[in-house]
């Protein structure tokens, strides 16, 4: 049986919007594919990060105010080497902002970020919440969920085009991607609403390891929910 090891990064700090469900879904979807997904919790800033053992790092949404304390825990720890070698990292919601160039806070102060994604963010005075429907550039997969937008984003290499919703800054793009670092605003939880996206990421990682899934999961229930969501969004249009 193929195996994947997922680093669940700082779960007690990055825990907004019920996205813990995506971790649970990732493990279940892997099982449905005949893949053993092992979850390793990285709890504290000084915990070792075993990059050589990890196939995927997952950062769930967190408060922007926590990022000045969190980013030093990632700097000069081997993250750059991990990504350069093809390691996968998924950042959902606000946590993706840490991997851009900078965040301008509402009070005008500027927070220098990790600089992997060529993007800048500006914190919003009012949080934006709505449905979100996007199409990925690299695979044409469509995802649907919700968006709780705490900052407007200008990304040079977006992840997806926006079919409905604000996306990065209401200009038709959503998220960002550099190598295997993936950032999206799509919540839901992300993998509960869009299990085919989890399947896609797992298959990508397995391909880099020369391995294959042994089963194809049944997404019938999730697809029906997806089409129901799209019908609701169409009425809103």
């Amino acid at each position: 049986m193929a195996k994947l090891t997922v680093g669940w990064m700082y779960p007690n700090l990055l825990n907004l919007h019920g996205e813990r469900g995506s971790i649970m879904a990732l493990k279940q979807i892997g099982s449905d594919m005949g893949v053993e997904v092992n979850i390793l919790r990285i709890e504290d800033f000084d915990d070792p990060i075993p990059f050589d053992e990890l196939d995927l790092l997952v950062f769930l949404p967190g408060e922007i105010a926590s990022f000045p304390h969190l980013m030093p825990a990632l700097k000069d720890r081997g993250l750059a080497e991990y990504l350069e070698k093809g390691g996968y990292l998924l950042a959902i919601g606000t946590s993706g902002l840490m991997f851009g160039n900078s965040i301008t806070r509402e009070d005008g102060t500027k927070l220098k970020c990790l600089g992997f994604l060529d993007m800048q963010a500006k914190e919003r005075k009012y949080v934006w919440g709505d449905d979100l429907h996007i199409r990925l550039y690299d695979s044409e997969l469509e995802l649907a969920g919700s968006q709780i937008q705490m900052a407007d984003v200008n990304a040079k290499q977006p992840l997806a085009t926006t079919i409905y919703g604000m996306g990065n800054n209401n200009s038709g793009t959503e998220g960002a991607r550099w190598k295997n670092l993936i950032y999206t605003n799509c919540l839901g939880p992300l993998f509960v609403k869009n299990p085919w996206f989890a399947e896609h990421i797992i298959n990508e990682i397995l391909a880099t390891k020369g391995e294959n899934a042994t089963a194809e999961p049944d997404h019938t229930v999730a697809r029906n929910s997806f089409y129901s969501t799209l019908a609701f969004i169409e009425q809103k249009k």
Side-chain angles (χ1 to χ4, degrees):
M1 175 182 285
K3 296 182 180 180
L4 295 183
T5 302
V6 176
W8 184 3
M9 307 303 290
Y10 313 112
N12 294 320
L13 182 66
L14 305 178
N15 56 16
L16 298 181
H17 315 315
E19 280 298 323
R20 287 171 180 262
S22 283
I23 299 293
M24 299 168 65
L26 187 61
K27 191 173 182 68
Q28 182 60 55
I29 294 160
S31 177
D32 293 342
M33 297 171 66
V35 179
E36 181 181 328
V37 177
N38 298 306
I39 307 297
L40 177 63
R41 292 169 64 109
I42 309 297
E43 302 275 4
D44 299 317
F45 293 158
D46 57 354
D47 281 354
I49 305 174
F51 289 110
D52 290 342
E53 301 174 21
L54 296 172
D55 299 298
L56 171 66
L57 310 182
V58 179
F59 291 77
L60 303 184
E63 296 284 357
I64 295 174
S66 71
F67 295 172
H69 307 287
L70 196 158
M71 287 190 293
L74 296 171
K75 195 172 182 180
D76 302 324
R77 295 280 302 278
L79 180 58
E81 292 83 356
Y82 169 81
L83 292 170
E84 287 289 353
K85 290 178 181 178
Y88 277 75
L89 187 156
L90 173 66
I92 303 173
T94 46
S95 292
L97 307 182
M98 291 190 294
F99 300 96
N101 295 321
S102 65
I103 303 171
T104 302
R105 301 299 307 274
E106 189 193 343
D107 63 7
T109 58
K110 198 166 188 176
L111 180 61
K112 185 178 180 181
C113 298
L114 296 170
F116 294 108
L117 298 172
D118 189 1
M119 71 179 193
Q120 294 78 34
K122 185 176 181 180
E123 187 177 16
R124 296 176 57 83
K125 182 176 181 180
Y126 301 109
V127 175
W128 174 275
D130 198 0
D131 292 298
L132 183 64
H133 178 201
I134 63 176
R135 181 180 295 114
L136 304 184
Y137 285 121
D138 66 343
S139 66
E140 294 294 305
L141 283 179
E142 291 189 14
L143 313 181
S146 58
Q147 179 174 1
I148 308 296
Q149 190 76 346
M150 297 181 183
D152 292 330
V153 174
N154 180 11
K156 295 293 179 63
Q157 294 178 285
L159 172 72
T161 183
T162 306
I163 301 172
Y164 177 88
M166 175 173 282
N168 285 336
N169 56 13
N170 211 27
S171 63
T173 64
E174 202 286 311
R177 181 164 185 169
W178 173 76
K179 294 184 179 292
N180 295 326
L181 195 168
I182 301 165
Y183 152 56
T184 180
N185 299 291
C186 194
L187 311 172
L190 172 65
F191 288 149
V192 175
K193 299 281 286 187
N194 306 278
W196 41 88
F197 187 36
E199 181 184 2
H200 175 70
I201 291 175
I202 290 172
N203 279 327
E204 275 197 9
I205 296 172
L206 289 178
T208 68
K209 295 158 65 79
E211 299 177 344
N212 295 290
T214 58
E216 187 173 337
D218 182 0
H219 299 315
T220 301
V221 173
R223 284 287 181 193
N224 289 339
S225 175
F226 177 79
Y227 295 135
S228 178
T229 298
L230 296 194
F232 175 73
I233 288 175
E234 190 62 32
Q235 290 179 353
K236 295 198 334 180
K237 288 181 183 179

